[in-house]
Every structure is written in structure tokens, then in C-alpha cells.
């Protein structure tokens, strides 16, 4: 790993904030690095308040969207809530449909089939709406590039409201309303919402017109928090506030579907990390292995026994998904070796038998071995479909744009994208992608980076210090758990490899003249056992470890040298 210290912030800002908040300069420095550099910003950060959410009507087209929905309700129209099959899409559909059902009976949901229809708005979905007399479609987490599809719907007298957060192209669809804070001419103050977050702003606007307050919408925040966590959007501003309160709902009064998932895991209190690794993969597994409808049915189920049954089926999908992604990852690694592509700047692999539902996960797994922009292709109908994943600091979406002559369709973000191409263009694309990345990537980005917030003495870690760090949660992109470094520590001689295959490292670290010891665990650092014979430097985060009902602080090592 490359160890990179964050730039030192202005020291007078740090000193002033430390004094005003009554905290150490190290903690003040971490806050200033995160642009929390005044008492008022710190108050907003440490005491999130739902009343600080932005006015939904400041989003472009919000007024039009609300009027069109109110008109549909007044005229008894059928409304179809349409969304993608991933966590952001299925939570958004569950949120919007369950809210609208409280005010209008004629609401149905539609999730496209991952394999037959692919990502986003589909002609099949519009035909379904036409056949079943739907005159309004609300599309969530998709639609910003569906120019032809929206025009096709218009020709059938079906209106569209689009709630999306993906990057718009040069032209947006001619929908009745397009809610997307990333539009250049949208003045909404926060543009990092996920698809479910944009959907939440729409129900917030609808609710306000009906005399409801933000407190009436708290029960929906378990869905919003799950989507924010799963979609890896920045954990700043409005996202952090929504997640903060959404986690409270998840841990106190979650909807039946989430409650049923939690019951299977035996977890007492979930953190944002648990949402990412426990709840989100199970919701995702439905769309990957079977159909995204299962996830929506689970998340909107009013009967707990039925929800428990759904959760059981989804648990099986998730278990199958794990087996598949393990198997395909192994096959992909062998393919890279057999093609002598270990030294490439990219990993691009293809097998027509690979399951389309897990290729995104496999792409992420390959990055754990070969740290570079990665695409995993499989056969999808007459075309090839791929999931792309990138490394920190490299925009894979831009790289794909430069290969667009060989691509049929693509969309996504800086770090994750999807695309389709014709089989005969695969080799051309592969060559071009390698060429683009090799010319444009900063070679340093091919080594994983650990970003260090502050170098500290271990003696600075007190219960108060740790308590304040905990109050910085929920953590996520742009508000990650603080990472510290400490130089010249030593092991007390009892350091050892642990875990079934000796993958992890368990240490008792001695630091300073008083020989105080600190418990440390290094996941996947077992191979570095030889580094601990002499003094060494560490990079770590802080966590609590409970063993035999005794809770103590422990260092979670990210790297050592």
C-alpha cells in the first residue's frame, strides 16, 4: 500500500475549533480536513436534524412532478412505479409505492428483468404499462438517458416522471418532469443524493402539500439509509442526516422486510457497515439470482410471517450468489494468468457462461488481486454485457467514453459502470480500453492507497477521544472512519497468525516508555508476521472488541511496515 497523509489544514482554524469545541487538536484537525471548520458546521455535523434538510421544491421540476401526481390521483389514474433491480432501485420503488398507496389505491410496481430487459427503462416495461392502462410512470434510479423510451411512452399517451441521480447526457428525455440534482440547470443545494434519496425528496414534497411534516416520513428512512449505504454515495450533508436517522429506524422500528433479514443474522445493533454487508447484499441477491420483484415484495410486506418467508427465500439466493461469485472469480483469475495479462494496466475477461447477476461482484474481487480498472463480460442475448469497476482516483466512465466507437450502450459513475457491445467488437474494445487506460492512468493509482488523517501517539487514545470519533459516524465516502498512523511500535513477543488459514494477524503492541500494551488485529495481514520482529510503523482505525463480556478498545490495522 501507498501511505499518503492528508494535507495539513490551516493551524489557526484547527486551534480555534479545538478551543470552541473543547476537543484535542488531533480531532479538530480531522474535522477541518472534512470541511467542518466552524462551530456551526460542527453543530450540524454532530447533531444532525431533519429540519435541516433542504426544501424539496428547490429541485428543478419538483413543482411540475407534484402537480402531475396530484392530477393523476384526482383523476383516478393508474400509476406505475418503475425502478432498477439493484438496492437503490428496489428500495426506491418500495419507498415510492408504499407512500403513494397511503393516498391512492391504483399503484403498481415494475422492476425490469435483469436478463431479458437489462438495466434501466425498457420497452417491455412501457408495453406492460400500455397493456394495463397506466397513464403515468414514475421511474426511480434510472431514466436520465432513456430519451427514445420516453418518446415511445409519449406516443402511447403515457407520461414519465424521472427521479435519477446518474450523470445526464447532453440531452435529457422529454418527460413531464426530470428530478436529478446533477442537471447543470438544477439549483438544488446538494447533488450527491442516490436514486432512493431523490425519490424521498419527491414524497417529502408531496407530503408537505398534504400538511404532513418530515416526522411523518421517518418510517421510510430505513429504506433511504440502506440505499445510501449500498450505493456508496458520499456520506456528507443531506445523505449523512438521512442515514443517521435511517439507522435509528433500522435499529428500533424497521419495516417487516428489514426486520426479517436482521432476525436471520442474530445482530443486536446494526452499524452502517452491517447495512452494507448484511442487508444490502441480501436485497441485491433477489435481482441477481431471480428477480428484483422479490426484494420489493419483501420490503413492502405488511405481514411479518410472510416477510420472514420471503427473507428465507432471499437468504437462499444470497447463499447461491456467494458460491457463484467465488467460482467465477477463480475462473477469471485463471483466464488472466493463461493470457499472460498479469502486467496489463487493465483486467478484461469474458466467458459466455458466467452469470450476469454476479459479474459486478467478480469485477470488485479481481481488483483485490490485480489492482487496476476491471471489466467482466458475459453473454446477454445477442450481445455481450459487462460490469466495470475502477480503482481509487481513476474515472472508468471517462475511459469508456473514449472507447464508445466499440460500445452499443453504457452508463454509470466514476467508479462503477455497465455496458453492452456486439461480440465481434470485444477484441477491438479490449485493445482500445487497455490503450486508453495505459495512456491516461497515473501509475501510482495502480497501488492501493491508504489515506492517513493524522499521525498520533498511542497515549492520545483515551475513552473520550474514541467517543468523539464514534460521534462522527455514520461513516462512508468523504466521511470515512479516521485512519491514524503511529511510528516505532513493537510487539510484546506473542504476536501470531490467526484464523482458519492463518490469514490474519493478532498483536499486542507495546508503545512508549511505560510499556503499555494495545490490542491489535490485522485482517488479511497474516503474511506480514515477519515484519514484527523489530520496531515497525502501523496504520489503523479504532474499534471496540467484546470478548467474554469485556469490552476494550482495539487497533484495527490496515497496514504495517
Amino acid at each position: 500500500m501507498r501511505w499518503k497523509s492528508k494535507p495539513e489544514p490551516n493551524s489557526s482554524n484547527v486551534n480555534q475549533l479545538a478551543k470552541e469545541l473543547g476537543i484535542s487538536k488531533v480531532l479538530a484537525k480531522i474535522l477541518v480536513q472534512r470541511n467542518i471548520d466552524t462551530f456551526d458546521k460542527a453543530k450540524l455535523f454532530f447533531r444532525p436534524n431533519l429540519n435541516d434538510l433542504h426544501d424539496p421544491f428547490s429541485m428543478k421540476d419538483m413543482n411540475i412532478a407534484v402537480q402531475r401526481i396530484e392530477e393523476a390521483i384526482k383523476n383516478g389514474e393508474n400509476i406505475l412505479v418503475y425502478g432498477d433491480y439493484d438496492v437503490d432501485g428496489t428500495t426506491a420503488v418500495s419507498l415510492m409505492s408504499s407512500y403513494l398507496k397511503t393516498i391512492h389505491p391504483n399503484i403498481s410496481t415494475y422492476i425490469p428483468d435483469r436478463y431479458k430487459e437489462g438495466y434501466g427503462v425498457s420497452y417491455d416495461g412501457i408495453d406492460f404499462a400500455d397493456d394495463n392502462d397506466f397513464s403515468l410512470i414514475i421511474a426511480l434510479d434510472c431514466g436520465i438517458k432513456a430519451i427514445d423510451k420516453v418518446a415511445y411512452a409519449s406516443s402511447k399517451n403515457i407520461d414519465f416522471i424521472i427521479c435519477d441521480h446518474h450523470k445526464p447526457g447532453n440531452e435529457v428525455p422529454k418527460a413531464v418532469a426530470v428530478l436529478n440534482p446533477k442537471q447543470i440547470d438544477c439549483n438544488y443545494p446538494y447533488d450527491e443524493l442516490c436514486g432512493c434519496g431523490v425519490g424521498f425528496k419527491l414524497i417529502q414534497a408531496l407530503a408537505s402539500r398534504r400538511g404532513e411534516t418530515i416526522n411523518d416520513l421517518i418510517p421510510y428512512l430505513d429504506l433511504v439509509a440502506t440505499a445510501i449505504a449500498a450505493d456508496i454515495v458520499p456520506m456528507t450533508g443531506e445523505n449523512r442526516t438521512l442515514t443517521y436517522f435511517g439507522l435509528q429506524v433500522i435499529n428500533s422500528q424497521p419495516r417487516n422486510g428489514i426486520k426479517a433479514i436482521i432476525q436471520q443474522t442474530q445482530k443486536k445493533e446494526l452499524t452502517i457497515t452491517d447495512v452494507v454487508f448484511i442487508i444490502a447484499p441480501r436485497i441485491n441477491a433477489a435481482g441477481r439470482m431471480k428477480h428484483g420483484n422479490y426484494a420489493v415484495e419483501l420490503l413492502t410486506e405488511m405481514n411479518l410471517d410472510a416477510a420472514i418467508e420471503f427473507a428465507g427465500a432471499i437468504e437462499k439466493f444470497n447463499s447461491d450468489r456467494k458460491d457463484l461469485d467465488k467460482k467465477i472469480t477463480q475462473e477469471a483469475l485463471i483466464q488472466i494468468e493463461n493470457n499472460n495479462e498479469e502486467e496489463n494496466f487493465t483486467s478484461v475477461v469474458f466467458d459466455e457462461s458466467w452469470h450476469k447477476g454476479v459479474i459486478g461482484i467478480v469485477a470488485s474481487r479481481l481488483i483485490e488481486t490485480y489492482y487496476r480498472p476491471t471489466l467482466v463480460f458475459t453473454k446477454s442475448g445477442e450481445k455481450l454485457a459487462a460490469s466495470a469497476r475502477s480503482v481509487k482516483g481513476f474515472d472508468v466512465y471517462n475511459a469508456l467514453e473514449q472507447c464508445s466507437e466499440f460500445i452499443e450502450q453504457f452508463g454509470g459513475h466514476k467508479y462503477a459502470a455497465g455496458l453492452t457491445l456486439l461480440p465481434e467488437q470485444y477484441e477491438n474494445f479490449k485493445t482500445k480500453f487497455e490503450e486508453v487506460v495505459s495512456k491516461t492512468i497515473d501509475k501510482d493509482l495502480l497501488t492501493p492507497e491508504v489515506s492517513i488523517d493524522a499521525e498520533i501517539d498511542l497515549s492520545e487514545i483515551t475513552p473520550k477521544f474514541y467517543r468523539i470519533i464514534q460521534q462522527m459516524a455514520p461513516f462512508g465516502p468523504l466521511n470515512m472512519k479516521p485512519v491514524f498512523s503511529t511510528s516505532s511500535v513493537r510487539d510484546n513477543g506473542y504476536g501470531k497468525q490467526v484464523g482458519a488459514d492463518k490469514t490474519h494477524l493478532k498483536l499486542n503492541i507495546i508503545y512508549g516508555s511505560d510499556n503499555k500494551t494495545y490490542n491489535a488485529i490485522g485482517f488479511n495481514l497474516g503474511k506480514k508476521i515477519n515484519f514484527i520482529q523489530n520496531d515497525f510503523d502501523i496504520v489503523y482505525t479504532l474499534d471496540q472488541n467484546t470478548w467474554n463480556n469485556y469490552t476494550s478498545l482495539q487497533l484495527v490495522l490496515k497496514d504495517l511496515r
Side-chain angles (χ1 to χ4, degrees):
M1 278 186 156
R2 283 178 298 124
W3 294 19
K4 190 176 177 188
S5 296
K6 288 186 181 168
E8 283 294 322
N10 180 301
S11 59
S12 60
N13 269 11
V14 170
N15 294 340
Q16 178 70 20
L17 193 65
K19 193 173 152 194
E20 286 180 353
L21 297 179
I23 58 174
S24 74
K25 285 181 186 173
V26 170
L27 291 167
K29 172 182 159 178
I30 292 168
L31 291 172
V32 174
Q33 281 167 341
R34 293 166 196 230
N35 198 28
I36 300 152
D37 51 7
T38 65
F39 181 84
D40 288 344
K41 283 186 188 173
K43 189 179 165 199
L44 276 175
F45 180 76
F46 284 113
R47 302 281 179 271
N49 190 322
L50 288 170
N51 294 321
D52 294 327
L53 294 178
H54 306 302
D55 175 6
F57 288 101
S58 61
M59 195 179 290
K60 180 176 186 275
D61 283 1
M62 184 61 82
N63 238 323
I64 303 166
V66 168
Q67 280 169 8
R68 180 65 188 89
I69 293 168
E70 286 176 341
E71 181 190 316
I73 291 169
K74 189 172 143 216
N75 298 335
E77 293 176 55
N78 295 332
I79 302 174
L80 188 64
V81 181
Y82 186 111
D84 210 32
Y85 40 69
D86 64 4
V87 178
D88 195 11
T90 52
T91 51
V93 167
S94 303
L95 169 102
M96 184 60 61
S97 63
S98 55
Y99 178 76
L100 289 177
K101 278 176 185 170
T102 65
I103 52 178
H104 186 55
N106 308 350
I107 306 290
S108 290
T109 62
Y110 190 96
I111 304 283
D113 185 291
R114 188 179 206 123
Y115 306 106
K116 294 197 189 92
E117 297 163 78
Y119 174 81
V121 177
S122 70
Y123 289 112
D124 282 2
I126 294 164
D127 288 341
F128 171 86
D130 187 38
D131 293 344
N132 292 282
D133 199 26
F134 288 96
S135 47
L136 175 62
I137 297 176
I138 302 173
L140 295 134
D141 189 37
C142 60
I144 196 65
K145 289 193 167 178
I147 292 160
D148 297 344
K149 316 252 176 50
V150 170
Y152 177 69
S154 287
S155 73
K156 294 178 173 292
N157 295 319
I158 298 169
D159 285 343
F160 252 93
I161 291 170
I162 291 167
C163 303
D164 205 349
H165 70 122
H166 295 98
K167 205 170 163 184
N170 296 329
E171 191 189 339
V172 295
K174 291 186 169 57
V176 170
V178 178
L179 306 178
N180 185 336
K182 286 195 175 75
Q183 292 180 94
I184 291 164
D185 56 350
C186 178
N187 297 321
Y188 191 71
Y190 188 73
D191 66 358
E192 295 292 358
L193 294 167
C194 62
C196 187
V198 177
F200 181 78
K201 297 311 294 187
L202 177 52
I203 71 165
Q204 193 188 345
L206 286 163
S208 73
R209 291 277 275 260
R210 297 167 49 75
E212 295 172 326
T213 70
I214 193 67
N215 293 331
D216 296 310
L217 301 179
I218 288 173
Y220 298 92
L221 292 179
D222 52 357
L223 292 171
V224 184
T226 301
I228 289 168
D231 225 51
I232 327 230
V233 287
M235 194 62 76
T236 56
E238 207 162 39
N239 280 343
R240 188 165 168 277
T241 301
L242 291 166
T243 307
Y244 180 88
F245 289 99
L247 268 175
Q248 290 182 2
V249 177
I250 287 170
N251 283 312
S252 58
Q253 286 178 301
R255 66 196 48 241
N256 285 330
I258 289 177
K259 186 189 270 185
I261 292 174
I262 296 169
Q263 277 184 11
Q264 291 179 328
T265 65
Q266 313 295 309
K267 271 269 179 185
K268 291 280 182 284
E269 182 148 339
L270 274 72
T271 64
I272 199 67
T273 308
D274 296 322
V275 175
V276 172
F277 291 106
I278 293 173
I279 296 179
R282 285 165 171 80
I283 294 171
N284 242 335
R288 289 185 191 284
M289 307 304 293
K290 200 79 173 174
H291 200 289
N293 270 339
Y294 276 86
V296 173
E297 288 180 10
L298 172 73
L299 294 172
T300 54
E301 181 53 62
M302 303 304 282
N303 178 292
L304 182 59
D305 291 337
I308 289 167
E309 211 167 298
F310 271 123
I314 283 175
E315 190 63 35
K316 173 79 172 77
F317 300 152
N318 194 45
S319 164
D320 294 347
R321 187 269 308 164
K322 282 182 186 168
D323 294 343
L324 256 182
D325 84 56
K326 207 171 182 179
K327 174 179 169 283
I328 295 171
T329 301
Q330 282 308 316
E331 291 172 4
L333 288 167
I334 290 165
Q335 194 178 117
I336 291 168
E337 284 168 31
N338 289 349
N339 294 343
N340 296 318
E341 291 171 347
E342 294 101 313
E343 301 304 314
N344 282 13
F345 288 89
T346 63
S347 298
V348 181
V349 289
F350 162 64
D351 189 301
E352 65 175 43
S353 71
W354 287 343
H355 195 297
K356 192 180 171 192
V358 299
I359 56 176
I361 299 173
V362 172
S364 299
R365 297 257 189 267
L366 294 180
I367 287 176
E368 291 168 15
T369 304
Y370 297 108
Y371 193 75
R372 58 204 190 189
T374 298
L375 281 110
V376 179
F377 280 89
T378 187
K379 192 100 189 285
S380 179
E382 297 303 302
K383 295 176 184 173
L384 304 189
S387 270
R389 296 291 182 269
S390 193
V391 296
K392 188 180 174 187
F394 184 75
D395 191 329
V396 74
Y397 185 92
N398 279 353
L400 291 174
E401 265 184 330
Q402 293 173 61
C403 306
S404 57
E405 63 196 288
F406 305 116
I407 298 174
E408 290 285 293
Q409 210 183 349
F410 76 101
H413 311 275
K414 181 177 180 177
Y415 292 127
L419 67 144
T420 56
L421 48 75
L422 297 170
E424 57 269 27
Q425 296 291 10
Y426 174 73
E427 289 301 336
N428 294 335
F429 168 81
K430 186 172 174 173
T431 305
K432 177 75 174 180
F433 186 66
E434 172 70 20
E435 184 189 307
V436 167
V437 174
S438 66
K439 282 181 182 164
T440 57
I441 197 166
D442 176 342
K443 305 307 176 271
D444 276 352
L445 299 182
L446 298 168
T447 306
E449 175 188 287
V450 57
S451 184
I452 299 164
D453 291 84
E455 176 158 1
I456 62 171
D457 283 356
L458 292 182
S459 56
E460 293 179 63
I461 302 167
T462 62
K464 181 187 176 184
F465 184 89
Y466 178 69
R467 206 164 51 244
I468 293 169
I469 283 171
Q470 286 302 88
Q471 287 172 22
M472 294 172 72
F475 298 113
L478 301 187
N479 183 43
M480 299 300 279
K481 187 178 266 200
V483 175
F484 302 104
S485 67
T486 302
S487 302
S488 295
V489 303
R490 61 189 196 280
D491 179 60
N492 70 352
Y494 292 96
K496 59 184 178 185
Q497 294 168 315
V498 294
D501 39 10
K502 305 254 186 278
T503 335
H504 314 307
L505 199 56
K506 183 95 180 76
L507 306 178
N508 285 304
I509 286 172
I510 300 175
Y511 180 78
S513 53
D514 58 357
N515 282 346
K516 190 177 172 192
T517 60
Y518 298 82
N519 289 330
I521 182 79
F523 296 109
N524 299 312
L525 293 179
K527 289 179 182 157
K528 297 204 170 189
I529 186 86
N530 300 331
F531 287 38
I532 66 168
Q533 312 309 325
N534 303 305
D535 285 11
F536 53 97
D537 302 340
I538 54 173
V539 173
Y540 56 93
T541 59
L542 297 175
D543 212 340
Q544 282 184 324
N545 181 42
T546 302
W547 179 253
N548 285 342
N549 292 327
Y550 174 70
T551 300
S552 61
L553 275 180
Q554 93 175 339
L555 317 181
V556 181
L557 304 177
K558 293 178 90 68
D559 199 15
L560 51 95
R561 65 182 183 193

